[in-house]
Amino acid sequence: TGVSSITGNGAAFAALKDSGEVVTWGMPRRGGDCSAVTDRLAADVSSIIGCGPAFAALKNAGEVVSWGQAHRGGDCSAVADRLA
């Protein structure tokens, strides 16, 4: 399937495919490498935003998935219960 949107954060890009899968590239530490959350970005993503050295994806069911520099927004595990 094709790409429906692309967002960047100045150091990396994230493409949202028509299938809901996310593909990233660019500086690994700044979100270009989403391997830690690849399984959660394989399908059902509806939107992505990039800011500074991190990205956040919103899934169809309302789940938020983040990656990039943990201390600058790339890790939302501390507030995951409040995002559910």
Side-chain angles (χ1 to χ4, degrees):
T1 61
V3 173
S4 58
S5 66
I6 300 174
T7 188
N9 66 5
F13 291 95
L16 178 58
K17 296 182 72 176
D18 295 332
S19 63
E21 176 188 7
V22 175
V23 178
T24 63
W25 68 97
M27 290 183 68
R29 292 185 350 225
R30 294 182 171 251
D33 177 7
C34 67
S35 59
V37 292
T38 298
D39 57 328
R40 295 170 59 200
L41 298 175
D44 301 321
V45 174
S46 58
S47 64
I48 310 167
I49 189 165
C51 183
F55 289 91
L58 179 62
K59 299 193 72 172
N60 293 334
E63 177 188 5
V64 175
V65 180
S66 62
W67 68 98
Q69 286 187 356
H71 65 284
R72 301 202 52 200
D75 180 0
C76 64
S77 61
V79 295
D81 59 327
R82 294 172 44 202
L83 296 173

